[in-house]
Structures are given as C-alpha cells and as structure tokens.
Amino acid sequence: MIKITILADNYTDTMNLCSEHGFSCAIEAAGKRILLDTGQGMALAHNMDALGMKEKFDIAVITHGHYDHTGGLTQAMKKGAALADSLYVHHNVFNRHMKRNVDGSFSFIGFDAAENELENLYSITKIKGKTEIAENVFLCGDIPRYTEFSADQNLFVESDGEFKKDPFDDELFLAIIDKGALVIVAGCSHCGIINIVEHTERLFPGLRIRSLVGGFHLFRAEGNQISSVAEYLKPKKIDTILTGHCTGIDAFFKIRNSLGESVRMTKAGLTEFV
C-alpha cells in the first residue's frame, strides 16, 4: 500500500494544525518520500513541524504553477532552504497564471519564484508527457481533452500583454503502480478529473485504478458538471477516493452521495494507506 499524509488543505480537524486554501501531501512509495505540491506556504511549514517532519524529501513535485500549490516552495526558497533533493515540474510551470476579478481586472496567481534561485537549491527536472521519477512512480502531463471541462471561467494566462483562457498546459499528475493496480494523485485537476482518469487508462492499459486522490476543481462548477463526474466514476469501482481542496463542499457531498463511503474528504493531518 501507498502511504499518503495530507499536509495542507482547505480543511482540518486535527488539533494544532492549520488549514488554508491550498493543497500539499507527503507520499511514501517505492522507498521514496515524495512531496506533492506545497500549499500557500504557511500551512506547510507549520503542519510539517507539528507532525514532526524534519527531514528533506527525496523528491518534490509541483503539479501546476498556482500560488496555492507552490507557495510553500517559495517561502522555503526565500529562507534559503530546500524541501527536497530533486524538484520536478512541467516545462510550462512558469506560465503567467491570472485570475479575472469581478471588476474585469486581472491578478497574478502564479508561481512567485525566480527560476535561477530555485536552481541554487534544487536539481530541477522539467518534463512533458509520461516520465518515471522512481520505480513504478510516474509523472504524467500534456493531458488530452477526451471530454470538455471548463468549470472555472475566471482563470486565465497572460502572454505578451494578452489574456486568454488558461489551457493548463503545465498540469501534471502522479500515477503509481502498486501490486498490479494504480494510485492516482492529482493537484487540482484543472484539465478535468475525467480526462485524467481517461488518460491514465490509456497510458497504463490493463491496470485497475485502486485509489484516486486530490482536488477535482468543482467548487465553481454547475450541478450537471458535478453529476457527470459522479456518473463517470461510479462504474470504475475505485476503492478509495480522497478529495477536497478545490473540489468544494457541495461537490464532495454530491459525489459521496452517489458513490458511497469510498469517497472521503482530504484534510490537513489525514493519513491514509491507499
């Protein structure tokens, strides 16, 4: 089994831990300690200390370049500290991610770190496609759109002064083969959790998906979009679905009501074997 500990999330029910709008988890697989995403920053540092996690990770992964997944890395960098020996990101992780505000203006919500400063602390590997980063541990990117997914109309990317709908071409997810089955760990699933699952099945034909972990970015979704996700996942008979952060409370309960007790909420401090 794969051990996962949630280090940062929108929710917590564990004494002495804090929550924030963000996501981070520690994964133990293939003899490696992997840090996937780093939240906004405050929760990661506080919660790792409270949980007694003092040592650097072997590997750090950033699933996409949003502040609520990269902030912990940035905060540590400003202190001259590395969270891991190696850092894996997509080639496009430094895209200028923006949020459209109510008044029509745009705010930067991207990866607020200088690449050359990160290179002083980490061995950085930029990837595309499917890459094995440890034995039977794969990072997968360049996610095709097998089905249309656009549950958030406020997210854009800026290039040369022009703003366009963010294609999230920097998004990665983790796929781990364990005992002949797959464990998927995503960050926000901006490309759509249906597309991530579909892509996994094509990349690893014949392997059953045992566990699915991460945010589904449905907190601004319409009801029919949430229902489509629940209807798609139900026949997959996935043993464990851990979701929270950007999934949203309403979407979480709609999916849980449809799929049952296999669906549980991520929250800071939660440890599961998946």
Side-chain angles (χ1 to χ4, degrees):
M1 301 294 279
I2 306 300
K3 182 180 179 182
I4 293 183
T5 301
I6 308 299
L7 300 177
D9 197 273
N10 295 38
Y11 324 105
T12 189
D13 59 4
T14 302
M15 188 172 66
N16 297 326
L17 298 190
C18 63
S19 61
E20 65 185 11
H21 178 76
F23 184 73
S24 176
C25 67
I27 304 164
E28 294 183 21
K32 300 290 185 181
R33 296 173 63 250
I34 302 168
L35 176 66
L36 184 134
D37 288 340
T38 65
Q40 291 190 41
M42 183 181 72
L44 180 68
H46 174 87
N47 293 347
M48 283 180 61
D49 185 63
L51 294 168
M53 293 187 176
K54 307 293 186 183
E55 297 180 2
K56 280 199 304 183
F57 290 85
D58 299 304
I59 296 169
V61 172
I62 295 297
T63 62
H64 64 291
H66 269 169
Y67 75 100
D68 55 327
H69 294 255
T70 62
L73 193 70
T74 302
Q75 291 299 318
M77 181 197 72
K78 290 177 178 177
K79 297 176 182 177
L83 297 173
D85 295 323
S86 301
L87 174 63
Y88 288 84
V89 298
H90 193 276
H91 276 267
N92 297 324
V93 73
F94 291 101
N95 284 356
R96 284 190 54 79
H97 294 288
M98 311 293 288
K99 178 184 178 182
R100 183 174 60 189
N101 303 311
V102 175
D103 63 1
S105 63
F106 290 88
S107 300
F108 178 70
I109 57 169
F111 195 172
D112 186 22
E115 187 173 354
N116 63 332
E117 292 181 13
L118 285 173
E119 289 172 344
N120 292 332
L121 294 170
Y122 297 94
S123 170
I124 301 177
T125 302
K126 294 182 179 180
I127 69 168
K128 293 182 178 181
K130 171 185 169 185
T131 302
E132 190 170 19
I133 64 172
E135 185 178 2
N136 287 326
V137 179
F138 298 85
L139 268 177
C140 308
D142 302 306
I143 304 159
R145 299 304 200 273
Y146 302 101
T147 185
E148 182 61 32
F149 180 78
S150 183
D152 196 326
Q153 301 305 311
N154 297 319
L155 300 179
F156 285 74
V157 66
E158 184 266 329
S159 179
D160 297 325
E162 295 186 3
F163 298 89
K164 66 176 182 178
K165 195 74 175 62
D166 200 328
F168 290 102
D169 55 6
D170 63 329
E171 187 163 53
L172 301 170
F173 65 92
L174 204 63
I176 305 169
I177 301 174
D178 180 63
K179 297 180 179 177
L182 285 163
V183 174
I184 300 173
V185 189
C188 266
S189 308
H190 285 289
C191 295
I193 194 61
I194 291 176
N195 292 321
I196 286 174
V197 171
E198 283 285 311
H199 196 43
T200 302
E201 291 180 337
R202 285 164 170 76
L203 290 175
F204 304 93
L207 292 180
R208 183 178 77 88
I209 297 171
R210 186 177 74 209
S211 301
L212 181 60
V213 181
F216 294 172
H217 206 84
L218 296 169
F219 74 108
R220 291 195 184 105
E222 300 292 334
N224 63 329
Q225 293 175 309
I226 299 168
S227 298
S228 294
V229 169
E231 290 168 7
Y232 172 81
L233 291 176
K234 194 168 187 177
K236 300 293 180 183
K237 299 188 183 302
I238 298 171
D239 294 347
T240 302
I241 298 176
L242 300 177
T243 190
H245 176 43
C246 58
T247 299
I249 294 291
D250 289 346
F252 169 82
F253 280 107
K254 285 178 181 177
I255 294 171
R256 180 178 169 87
N257 287 342
S258 176
L259 275 65
E261 294 182 359
S262 63
V263 182
R264 299 195 294 280
M265 183 175 288
T266 55
K267 45 198 171 185
L270 176 72
T271 295
E272 293 274 353
F273 289 88
V274 298

